[in-house]
Amino acid sequence: MSSEEARSWNEQIIEEFRANAGSVAHFGGKSLVILHHTGAKSGAPYLSPLAGIAVDDGAWVIVASNGGKDNHPAWFHNVQAHPEVLLEVPGDDEVATVKLAARVADDDERDRYFAQMVSRAPQFAEYEKGTSRRIPVVVLEPAA
């Protein structure tokens, strides 16, 4: 898929997500979130639709799988450089946007949360098998 095709695909996903209170049929309903992040070098704003899991106390978890490629996705580098993010999350009647702070999960958290992601979306196990890198998990916690 070219960069332009990927952008177009993401735009369609984001449009459907927003129009349906966070539900996207292709991904089985309300399993996605939209990450607003800032370019590490450019400072430009970006949106990335990602699989997300709500965890304790308003926090969310996302996985930097990059489809099993051997490099981290761009958004992962961006949230390390600029951890203050916005996250659009599914709601009952509409999408909600929350302000969060990103951090990379420690090893124990990573293993626990990655297993939760695999239980909801088994393709993540395949992504892990397809790369030699340890796929990071990012915890998004309510901003202070």
Side-chain angles (χ1 to χ4, degrees):
M1 183 181 295
S2 72
S3 294
E4 186 56 39
E5 289 169 328
R7 262 191 299 280
S8 177
W9 169 257
N10 281 347
E11 288 171 6
Q12 291 172 18
I13 297 301
I14 291 167
E15 184 178 316
E16 183 177 347
F17 180 91
R18 288 175 173 164
N20 297 295
S23 183
V24 179
H26 182 81
F27 293 97
K30 295 188 177 192
S31 62
L32 297 182
V33 295
I34 308 296
L35 177 68
H36 294 238
H37 51 104
T38 303
K41 294 179 184 176
S42 69
Y46 294 98
L47 298 176
S48 297
L50 303 166
I53 299 173
V55 293
D56 303 326
D57 301 322
W60 287 80
V61 171
I62 54 178
V63 176
S65 65
N66 204 16
K69 295 178 185 165
D70 286 330
N71 56 309
H72 296 317
W75 67 258
F76 179 74
H77 301 291
N78 292 346
V79 301
Q80 287 184 298
H82 302 285
E84 304 80 24
V85 300
L86 294 176
L87 194 68
E88 292 180 52
V89 301
D92 291 332
D93 298 318
E94 63 185 6
V95 170
T97 302
V98 292
K99 185 176 182 179
L100 302 166
R103 66 174 177 81
V104 178
D106 66 33
D107 286 342
D108 290 339
E109 285 178 310
R110 184 263 177 215
D111 292 343
R112 185 175 74 248
Y113 290 141
F114 194 84
Q116 286 180 18
M117 185 64 78
V118 167
S119 73
R120 293 177 186 212
Q123 70 269 23
F124 282 90
E126 296 303 313
Y127 297 157
E128 189 170 49
K129 290 177 188 173
T131 184
S132 59
R133 70 184 173 94
R134 182 166 166 84
I135 296 175
V137 170
V138 175
V139 180
L140 307 170
E141 298 170 313

